[in-house]
Amino acid sequence: MMIFIVLVLIIGASFAEDVSNKKFPSDFLFGVATAAFQIEGAWNEDGKSPSIWDAAIHANSSIIANSDNADITCDSYHKVKEDIAILKELGVSHYRFSLAWTRILPDGIGKINDAGVAYYKHLIKELKANNIEPFVTLYHWDLPDTLQQPEKAGFLNISVVQWFEEYAKVCFSLFGDDVKYWATFNEPIAVCNGGYASGLVPPLIRSEGIKEYVCVYNLLLAHARAWHVYDKEFRQKQRGKISIVLNTHSFLPATNSEADTVAAETKFQFMLGLYANPIFVGDFPDIVKKRIAVRSTAEGRKASRLPSFSKEEVEYIKGTHDYFGLNVYSAYLVNSIPDPPVTDPPTNWGDAGVNIFQPTDWESTSSDHTKVVPWTIRPLLNWLKDHYNNPGIFITENGYPSHDGSKDDRRIYYIKGYLSHIRDTMDQDNITVLGYTVWTLMDNFEWTAGYTQKFGLYEVDFNEPNRTRTARPSVDFYKKTIKTRCLVNQCID
């Protein structure tokens, strides 16, 4: 495996232009993804309550680029017919979208909001009528603000397990007959690290390595509770699949040294394994538990900052997956460094104890973290296969950002490159990849970046009241790929 990674780094750039001529299997799913908060707008219409993002932005818009908000964004709440039309134009097999918890249960728990339910029922009905499979995410970061109030404390409160179970059960009951793919949480690292460690996103709490890990513990239990509810009460009748969507970069050793190999493995475990290991193997990764425990002792603490799962909880969480949902956009090189000094407060950097960087010759995008390195998907997929027993990987997000929507030729190059390396890896390394999902269908509200980052296959004119959608050239490319299941003019089976 190490030799392969080094070869990827050496020859990746020169061979990046090679495109696979193998057809994708007939059951391989091609789709696009969005999220409720990023496209729906109608932030307070028809009984919807504020999410933590609504509340935070309305209290202090400076946390968003250009002080923008998502009050209207793409206005998809009022444009279901138009959005279905462009999905049909693309010819996608699935559409991954999220439900806004605040539309369905405005108080977080309790009374169901009929208008919100009607909106999603209509969306799902129209998708099914056009032979597009709904791929539904229960939680894409927009917690009801009522559950984040001081007396509730959001994901720091173990009661979130019960709250999420109630919400999930309502969704399975209302929509499950027409949904075959569910995801419990999207990118939980953004919830726990972004919301409770760096404090860069709502609920804007800074507590690296302390409250952050409480969030991780509670969120994983909430995921498991929803999975078990579906498995016991709904699976037999609805016959769907349910899992979690995790995100990671590909982490490659900076050199062929054993120290850098260990460093890359450590970084994988701290970013991905922290969430994946309890679900796919059982319990937190050993290296994560060990490093945090040792540093906690050095800080003078009586117990590790990382909560411990009981034996019963380990077994309860283990196996709560029907596929591996993977969001991936880029890669980093990793090298070993001397163990960072113990600090108060602790840091994620200190806990992991490695250095990551991106070479200056890797092609840049408008995002500081996204370099164009499609060939790095192969070692990542192999890492997942080796660590989680070839779990059936669903690429649930992958996409290219630009500031003004230009460089669509590079978006095509990026998507084609990832699909090409995915296809070759499926064949050559015997890895099961179930489908691929472009982020995103159309330009939208990109969280703290506001409207400064454009990922869409379709351009959206946010200065125009109708929020007109206009196809970029990447639409024709992706449409042809879906239709022919091929990345070149002539494929072989």
Side-chain angles (χ1 to χ4, degrees):
M1 183 65 180
M2 185 62 234
I3 293 173
F4 168 71
I5 291 173
V6 173
L7 286 174
V8 165
L9 293 174
I10 293 172
I11 68 176
S14 61
F15 277 73
E17 298 294 341
D18 289 354
V19 177
S20 176
N21 66 347
K22 294 294 294 292
K23 266 192 174 182
F24 282 86
S26 59
D27 58 353
F28 188 90
L29 301 177
F30 290 97
V32 290
T34 63
F37 187 79
Q38 295 179 265
I39 68 165
E40 286 180 1
W43 78 275
N44 62 351
E45 290 188 36
D46 294 339
K48 180 186 176 297
S49 67
S51 71
I52 55 174
W53 278 83
D54 292 311
I57 295 170
H58 293 159
N60 179 14
S61 63
S62 68
I63 66 173
I64 308 299
N66 299 326
S67 294
D68 283 322
N69 62 55
D71 291 358
I72 301 174
T73 183
C74 304
D75 200 26
S76 285
Y77 186 73
H78 300 111
K79 299 175 79 66
V80 170
K81 184 176 181 179
E82 188 169 339
D83 289 349
I84 297 292
I86 60 177
L87 287 164
K88 187 174 182 179
E89 178 186 4
L90 273 171
V92 293
S93 51
H94 69 278
Y95 175 46
R96 182 175 173 240
F97 63 96
S98 70
L99 306 175
W101 191 336
T102 51
R103 287 200 194 282
I104 296 167
L105 297 172
D107 295 326
I109 54 176
K111 186 177 179 181
I112 295 172
N113 178 35
D114 291 338
V117 171
Y119 166 69
Y120 290 117
K121 278 187 172 290
H122 176 52
L123 173 60
I124 291 170
K125 179 182 177 181
E126 290 301 310
L127 289 170
K128 299 290 283 189
N130 286 278
N131 297 314
I132 300 168
E133 198 65 54
F135 191 129
V136 180
T137 303
L138 291 171
Y139 185 81
H140 199 129
W141 309 356
D142 47 353
L143 187 73
D145 192 53
T146 56
L147 300 182
Q148 191 63 59
Q149 294 303 306
E151 68 274 13
K152 294 292 180 64
F155 283 92
L156 300 182
N157 188 340
I158 190 63
S159 295
V160 75
V161 178
Q162 180 64 39
W163 302 334
F164 190 69
E165 177 188 13
E166 178 176 334
Y167 166 57
K169 192 170 183 177
V170 166
C171 294
F172 299 150
S173 298
L174 291 170
F175 313 119
D177 287 346
D178 293 312
V179 175
K180 300 308 177 189
Y181 292 95
W182 292 97
T184 53
F185 291 95
N186 178 77
E187 297 186 1
I189 192 172
V191 178
C192 295
N193 180 271
Y196 294 93
S198 67
L200 294 175
V201 302
L204 307 174
I205 294 171
R206 293 196 64 180
S207 182
E208 282 189 36
I210 303 175
K211 291 180 180 178
E212 169 189 10
Y213 294 147
V214 174
C215 172
V216 174
Y217 172 86
N218 290 338
L219 186 148
L220 286 170
L221 284 171
H223 156 78
R225 183 74 66 86
W227 190 93
H228 281 292
V229 164
Y230 186 83
D231 192 54
K232 292 177 181 177
E233 300 183 28
F234 298 93
R235 186 187 299 277
Q236 185 174 2
K237 178 177 181 289
Q238 297 178 353
R239 306 180 70 81
K241 297 181 183 297
I242 180 169
S243 197
I244 192 169
V245 168
L246 304 176
N247 63 303
T248 188
H249 303 291
S250 184
F251 294 111
L252 308 176
T255 72
N256 202 21
S257 71
E258 181 179 354
D260 285 355
T261 302
V262 171
E265 174 68 15
T266 300
K267 184 60 182 177
F268 259 131
Q269 294 294 0
F270 266 86
M271 182 172 185
L272 182 59
L274 181 66
Y275 298 91
N277 222 69
I279 295 169
F280 290 86
V281 178
D283 208 353
F284 293 121
D286 288 341
I287 186 64
V288 174
K289 291 193 294 183
K290 181 179 179 180
R291 283 196 59 83
I292 296 173
V294 167
R295 294 181 72 83
S296 296
T297 298
E299 294 158 9
R301 302 176 190 273
K302 295 181 179 179
S304 175
R305 288 181 274 106
L306 181 67
S308 297
F309 291 119
S310 68
K311 290 182 179 179
E312 292 77 15
E313 288 171 337
V314 168
E315 290 304 313
Y316 187 72
I317 298 171
K318 181 180 178 182
T320 55
H321 62 87
D322 297 327
Y323 59 88
F324 194 110
L326 174 66
N327 292 355
V328 59
Y329 290 86
S330 198
Y332 281 85
L333 301 187
V334 188
N335 54 20
S336 175
I337 58 174
D339 200 39
V342 171
T343 59
D344 186 18
T347 65
N348 298 125
W349 175 71
D351 281 352
V354 302
N355 179 58
I356 66 172
F357 66 97
Q358 294 175 315
T360 56
D361 60 348
W362 284 3
E363 181 184 339
S364 296
T365 67
S366 62
S367 169
D368 292 339
H369 305 292
T370 304
K371 304 295 183 183
V372 182
V373 286
W375 56 90
T376 62
I377 188 69
R378 186 171 185 178
L380 171 57
L381 293 175
N382 273 276
W383 193 92
L384 294 174
K385 175 188 176 184
D386 294 345
H387 286 72
Y388 303 130
N389 194 30
N390 202 10
I393 299 163
F394 210 125
I395 309 294
T396 38
E397 285 184 28
N398 179 247
Y400 179 96
S402 62
H403 275 309
D404 56 5
S406 62
K407 299 187 176 181
D408 197 59
D409 59 325
R410 302 315 292 165
R411 177 174 290 107
I412 293 171
Y413 171 86
Y414 176 99
I415 295 170
K416 182 185 290 185
Y418 269 95
L419 280 169
S420 177
H421 287 281
I422 289 166
R423 183 65 188 95
D424 285 344
T425 302
M426 291 167 64
D427 243 21
Q428 296 167 19
D429 301 335
N430 194 29
I431 292 176
T432 304
V433 182
L434 305 171
Y436 174 86
T437 315
V438 171
W439 183 269
T440 176
L441 174 63
M442 56 192 161
D443 297 339
N444 55 37
F445 181 84
E446 284 293 340
W447 307 107
T448 56
Y451 301 102
T452 66
Q453 299 279 13
K454 312 292 187 182
F455 279 86
L457 297 176
Y458 288 82
E459 178 184 1
V460 176
D461 187 348
F462 294 105
N463 295 315
E464 190 265 333
N466 195 44
R467 298 303 199 264
T468 302
R469 287 90 156 111
T470 303
R472 293 192 168 105
S474 49
V475 166
D476 286 337
F477 158 73
Y478 197 43
K479 179 180 179 180
K480 181 179 178 182
T481 299
I482 295 169
K483 183 177 181 179
T484 64
R485 315 194 75 77
C486 188
L487 296 167
V488 295
N489 289 330
Q490 288 188 331
C491 269
I492 59 174
D493 291 326

